[in-house]
Amino acid sequence: DPAVEQPTAQGVFIDPRDGTSYHYVHLGGLDWSVENLSYDLGDRNLSRIYQTVDDHARQVESTALRSKYGMLYTYSAAQQAVPEGWRIPTDQDWAALEATRGYLSSDFSLLYGGYYTKNTYASAANGNRFMGSWAYFWTSTPDTTKEGQYCFARKKFYATSTLQRLSIEPEAYFLSVRFVR
């Protein structure tokens, strides 16, 4: 296995919109947020907090889960939620991070916030999937090889060291967001 690139710098960014502090590390020529974005757009059709089955049944949002995993966003909402001066990483940004294995640095821990889908199934009627076991992150890159609207994303299972690339419908899923500058 190749060596894991370690950050060359780190710091803290405070989002002026809500006062949330985000740590960042400098990897591969970019500052990467260490925490998942947690800016609340105020519309649950755009951004959601991952809920446990109990939370969903009681119709409450867990502030503990939000502070740990951030919020989940549709593709268009993610673009609205990113702080000024930052952006959603491109597919190429993620590929460069994968090539250096910088995402495995202890300073850049991925958070396994799962995802939410509007397509509910009987086995998980609240639409939340895989919190604690999978991490899903938007890229800003559309997948132009498919008919219709699709965007690239990255996912990682907690028990593996590799990221996987996938292409999904941008407004049917809510994923976590890391941001770069």
Side-chain angles (χ1 to χ4, degrees):
D1 279 344
V4 173
E5 179 181 333
Q6 297 301 315
T8 57
Q10 51 190 336
V12 176
F13 165 75
I14 298 174
D15 190 337
R17 301 171 297 178
D18 62 6
T20 301
S21 295
Y22 297 95
H23 295 85
Y24 65 86
V25 294
H26 193 78
L27 286 165
L30 292 172
D31 290 336
W32 284 82
S33 64
V34 173
E35 293 91 8
N36 295 344
L37 183 61
S38 69
Y39 182 70
D40 191 348
L41 292 169
D43 181 342
R44 293 301 169 253
N45 292 312
L46 301 174
S47 60
R48 306 184 68 87
I49 296 171
Y50 196 108
Q51 295 175 298
T52 65
V53 172
D54 288 343
D55 290 340
H56 181 73
R58 290 181 289 135
Q59 304 223 335
V60 299
E61 292 186 339
S62 170
T63 55
L65 290 177
R66 179 178 175 190
S67 64
K68 181 174 183 177
Y69 295 114
M71 295 193 74
L72 303 173
Y73 302 88
T74 63
Y75 176 77
S76 62
Q79 295 172 342
Q80 295 174 42
V82 170
E84 188 174 331
W86 296 79
R87 63 179 174 79
I88 299 170
T90 64
D91 191 49
Q92 294 77 18
D93 294 335
W94 277 103
L97 187 66
E98 288 172 59
T100 65
R101 297 170 48 95
Y103 64 93
L104 295 174
S105 163
S106 61
D107 295 319
F108 186 82
S109 59
L110 293 177
L111 303 171
Y112 299 94
Y115 70 90
Y116 177 87
T117 179
K118 294 177 183 178
N119 305 322
T120 58
Y121 308 96
S123 63
N126 68 352
N128 291 303
R129 307 278 192 285
F130 305 122
M131 181 182 66
S133 60
W134 282 91
Y136 289 82
F137 300 98
W138 284 119
T139 79
S140 62
T141 307
D143 182 353
T144 58
T145 66
K146 290 184 174 180
E147 295 255 342
Q149 292 190 336
Y150 289 86
C151 294
F152 290 113
R154 290 296 190 279
K155 70 178 182 176
K156 182 181 177 303
F157 186 59
Y158 80 96
T160 65
S161 63
T162 58
L163 284 173
Q164 298 172 17
R165 182 182 191 226
L166 67 151
S167 175
I168 60 175
E169 297 169 280
E171 301 307 310
Y173 294 90
F174 294 70
L175 308 183
S176 296
V177 173
R178 291 293 173 99
F179 47 97
V180 297
R181 64 178 177 188

